[in-house]
Every structure is written in structure tokens, then in C-alpha cells.
Amino acid sequence: MPALLRIYLTRGLIAIGWAAGFAAVRDSLSAPTVLLLIIYPLIDVVGSLLDAREDPGTPARKLQIFNIALSALATLGLGLSAIGGIGAVLFTFGVWAIVSGVAQFAVAVRRRGPELGRQWPMLIAGVLSVIAGVTYLPAAVGAGPSLSMLILYTAAGGTFFVLQAVSLAWRQRRTRGLAA
């Protein structure tokens, strides 16, 4: 559990930091903006790789491997969609948010149990990812799409990872206290 706790905490803090950095460059598809757009799903790839390593032989691991492939495709898709403009980027991000949100929810459901808790932060984050992704699709084809929508999404997602890490730390400390 300590490794999973570190993965969640690090992933959450990096996502929050990413959101802060993206807020400074979100107004156009400049080189720094596109670079950050490509980096964000790579964060998910690395986090999911580390997570899958800690979860061998479980049904959740198969979903993590799926998410690795999905996020790698999202990296490529976001890089290519930047050529098409902000609307194309929002659409690509929206599709990724929907599918990865479903996968995140499914992983959380499969991990629910005495050792890892009820996984409420991850369940909520998965559902909110799907909802956010669905809202990006019409925004992508609407008048004046904006990348600003991504800031709240990534900051909230990061916050839920941090909350899950706190929950795991609390559970670990409580378990140690009961064992003593």
C-alpha cells in the first residue's frame, strides 16, 4: 500500500501543478501549450505503469494496461489535434476523458475492499471525468471553444488523487494502530 499511496500523491500533485502551469499558457495553441497538452496524458501513462506494477494478477491491472494504451493514444491524438485548432483539442481531450473516466471508475470498483478502502475519491473522479468529457464535446464544436475548461478538470482530478492518497495513509495508520 505505501507504493500506491506515493503513486496517488505524486500523480495528484503533478496534475495540480500542471493545471497551474497550463493556466498561464491556455489562451492559444502556442508551443508551450501544445507541449503541456502532450505531457498531461504522459503523466497518466507513467502513473498507470507504476500502478499496474503494484497490482499484478488482478482484474484492475488489465484496466490499468488498457489505460496505459489509451493515454498513449491520447498523447498522440492531442499532438495531432493541435494542428486542427482548439476545438479539435477539446474534442480529443473530451473523448479521452470519457473513456479514461470509465476505466478509472472500474479500477476503483475492483479495488474496493478492506485494504484499499471504499475508493470514493477515485469513484467520484471517474464519474466527473466522464461528465467533463461529455461537456467538452459540444464545447469543441461550439462558437469560441476555450482551453480554460481543462484547468478545472486537471486540478480537480489531481485533488481527488491527493484525497485518495490521504485516505490510504489514514487507513494504513489506523490499521497499524489496531495491530499495536
Side-chain angles (χ1 to χ4, degrees):
M1 185 164 34
L4 191 57
L5 187 152
R6 284 190 307 274
I7 291 167
Y8 281 162
L9 182 62
T10 303
R11 199 169 175 184
L13 293 174
I14 289 172
I16 292 167
W18 184 96
F22 193 74
V25 298
R26 71 180 184 269
D27 294 329
S28 67
L29 285 175
S30 63
T33 306
V34 174
L35 181 62
L36 283 172
L37 285 168
I38 291 169
I39 287 172
Y40 192 74
L42 285 177
I43 295 166
D44 202 43
V45 168
V46 172
S48 294
L49 274 169
L50 294 171
D51 197 344
R53 220 178 59 189
E54 294 300 318
D55 211 5
T58 67
R61 186 172 194 271
K62 290 178 184 176
L63 287 167
Q64 290 292 17
I65 291 170
F66 168 78
N67 199 47
I68 292 165
L70 175 67
S71 295
L73 285 173
T75 300
L76 179 63
L78 286 167
L80 292 174
S81 66
I83 298 166
I86 291 174
V89 168
L90 272 182
F91 189 85
T92 303
F93 207 101
V95 170
W96 176 50
I98 292 167
V99 179
S100 66
V102 169
Q104 183 177 18
F105 184 85
V107 167
V109 165
R110 291 183 176 184
R111 283 190 170 157
R112 291 172 57 109
E115 185 178 326
L116 297 175
R118 299 211 181 269
Q119 297 282 308
W120 288 114
M122 293 295 90
L123 291 167
I124 294 167
V127 169
L128 291 178
S129 183
V130 171
I131 292 168
V134 168
T135 65
Y136 295 163
L137 301 182
V141 297
S146 171
L147 295 174
S148 295
M149 300 174 81
L150 304 180
I151 298 166
L152 179 60
Y153 170 83
T154 55
T159 301
F160 281 111
F161 271 101
V162 170
L163 289 173
Q164 186 63 49
V166 168
S167 173
L168 290 175
W170 177 81
R171 179 170 296 286
Q172 182 181 11
R173 186 172 180 183
R174 189 172 143 217
T175 302
R176 280 189 202 153
L178 292 175

